[in-house]
Amino acid sequence: MTPHPPHSPHSPRVPAGRALRLTVLVSENATWHHRPLYTEIVHRAHAAGLAGASVFRGIEGFGASSHVHTTRLLSLGQDLPVSVLVVDTEKRIRAFLPGIEELVTDGLVLLDACEVVRNGDGDGNGAGAGAGNGDGRAAGAPPEPGAGLAGEPPA
């Protein structure tokens, strides 16, 4: 697979089948040259032509410091955990990994073998890992009225 230019409207896609998931767990306050670390990772993944990257902000967690960070009222906005997920072929993720090791000095970097079942929405508008509900709706969108669970008739 040839990488597309960084600003191409057609992002490379991971073919269905075996893939590697890179998960980077860091503090939301971690920075790289005065820029959020998670932003630097996403932009480097994009520049490297990887298939996609997503950032998720945790609502509660702790790490090496053993201090629990939470979104509860009294602790609002206090250095919450952030995870950056990148999925692509094993070869491409492993080639990207040395750059991550340079960036992440205080965090956790994980690699997991995974299987890509479906990538995109069928008409070329896929938006990366975890971008939808698998039925054409945006992530977090409520189900259509009268829509049942898979295999159930509508209510």
Side-chain angles (χ1 to χ4, degrees):
M1 179 193 282
T2 305
H4 295 317
H7 298 291
S8 169
H10 305 289
S11 65
R13 297 162 64 105
V14 180
R18 292 177 50 181
L20 201 58
R21 175 178 50 213
L22 167 66
T23 305
V24 182
L25 301 167
V26 294
S27 158
E28 73 177 329
N29 292 339
T31 60
W32 176 260
H33 295 212
H34 309 290
R35 178 181 195 176
L37 180 57
Y38 58 86
T39 298
E40 183 67 21
I41 294 168
V42 168
H43 284 261
R44 286 188 183 200
H46 186 248
L50 296 180
S54 296
V55 177
F56 300 94
R57 184 176 188 227
I59 59 172
E60 189 163 7
F62 71 93
S65 72
S66 294
H67 180 78
V68 176
H69 301 274
T70 181
T71 59
R72 294 192 191 137
L73 187 60
L74 297 176
S75 301
L76 254 167
Q78 283 197 4
D79 200 18
L80 294 167
V82 173
S83 62
V84 183
L85 272 60
V86 183
V87 177
D88 209 316
T89 62
E90 180 172 359
K91 180 180 178 182
R92 293 167 60 84
I93 292 291
R94 290 205 182 273
F96 183 65
L97 199 53
I100 293 300
E101 292 171 347
E102 168 197 6
L103 293 174
V104 180
T105 58
D106 188 21
L108 186 61
V109 179
L110 306 168
L111 290 175
D112 300 295
C114 61
E115 182 178 354
V116 174
V117 176
R118 184 167 183 259
N119 185 356
D121 61 10
D123 64 2
N125 292 323
N133 292 318
D135 60 2
R137 296 179 292 119
E144 299 282 332
L149 297 174
E152 284 185 1

